[in-house]
Amino acid sequence: MTDYLPLDHSSSAAAFSSTKSASKSSSLLASYENELGAQRPLGFWDPLSLVRNEDQERFDRLRYVELKHGRIAMLAVAGHIWTTAGNRLPGDIDYSGTSFASIKVGLAGISDIPQAGLVQIIAFIGFLELFVMKDRTGDGEFPGDFRNGGDYGWGKLSDEVKMEKRAIELNNGRAAQMGILGLMVHEQLTGEPYVINSLLGYHTV
């Protein structure tokens, strides 16, 4: 009588499924390595594995969030530098006589803004988020494309120049996120957000 070894079909199926999943994950990561922003010296850098096993839709969502935060951070850094240089809007921020010039720079200035002013600022940000800074027409060519039917000279550019400009915006946004974070941290640690100024004997806050 011949003995037969029983086949564990469940184990075979699991192994096949695992191999298939690993292959899919590898192919996804390989495709992301050629995405905009994957450039020297780090290349494709995802230390928290946020896009591992994620599809293109999820990647595009994260790219949109990265762009939005980068744009906000660039405005924040520009505003911080502008107000640190002593520039302010003329007049008062409220009817009780709180002047724009009396509001301090950076995080310290939040406590100087009247409560009603903070509510208005938050409401305005919400309005922009819900109704303005979005792809309302659904015709965006890439994440963060908010032209909404306008062209603004974009169509006249070559594909190479378009990619270059998108890469510049992405990298400037990344740098600005680190920059505004550094300004806030140093302000809380030492009261002086611009370290180089303090080293040279200039006080900006």
Side-chain angles (χ1 to χ4, degrees):
M1 185 173 64
T2 304
D3 294 330
Y4 294 94
L5 292 175
L7 294 177
D8 189 344
H9 295 288
S10 61
S11 298
S12 300
F16 177 76
S17 176
S18 177
T19 302
K20 186 177 180 180
S21 298
S23 175
K24 180 180 179 182
S25 176
S26 299
S27 63
L28 284 172
L29 288 177
S31 67
Y32 298 149
E33 289 176 357
N34 297 319
E35 286 282 353
L36 181 73
Q39 54 200 47
R40 295 181 297 178
L42 295 178
F44 177 72
W45 194 59
D46 182 25
L48 300 180
S49 299
L50 295 177
V51 296
R52 184 178 297 277
N53 300 322
E54 300 291 350
D55 57 16
Q56 186 67 43
E57 183 179 359
R58 176 61 177 170
F59 179 89
D60 289 343
R61 169 61 184 171
L62 293 174
R63 172 51 51 83
Y64 162 73
V65 172
E66 179 185 20
L67 278 168
K68 179 172 69 173
H69 289 174
R71 289 167 178 173
I72 294 170
M74 285 188 279
L75 288 172
V77 171
H80 202 293
I81 295 173
W82 179 254
T83 52
T84 298
N87 299 292
R88 296 289 192 281
L89 292 174
D92 299 332
I93 195 174
D94 59 15
Y95 291 115
S96 62
T98 305
S99 65
F100 286 103
S102 67
I103 298 176
K104 294 186 285 293
V105 176
L107 294 175
I110 295 178
S111 60
D112 295 335
I113 301 175
Q115 185 175 4
L118 289 175
V119 171
Q120 291 176 53
I121 291 172
I122 294 172
F124 181 63
I125 293 172
F127 172 78
L128 292 177
E129 178 74 15
L130 294 174
F131 302 107
V132 179
M133 304 305 295
K134 59 188 300 184
D135 181 13
R136 298 190 303 275
T137 63
D139 296 329
E141 296 179 6
F142 49 84
D145 181 3
F146 297 155
R147 286 176 294 159
N148 292 310
D151 184 70
Y152 311 106
W154 184 256
K156 298 178 181 179
L157 304 177
S158 66
D159 290 341
E160 182 179 355
V161 173
K162 288 179 180 178
M163 290 298 290
E164 180 183 3
K165 289 186 176 297
R166 288 177 59 197
I168 290 172
E169 181 191 27
L170 185 62
N171 285 328
N172 285 351
R174 289 170 173 174
Q177 289 177 76
M178 298 303 295
I180 194 63
L181 177 62
L183 289 172
M184 292 188 295
V185 169
H186 282 289
E187 179 184 340
Q188 293 300 303
L189 291 177
T190 67
E192 173 56 73
Y194 297 92
V195 179
I196 188 67
N197 283 2
S198 62
L199 293 176
L200 295 175
Y202 299 105
H203 297 286
T204 54
V205 177

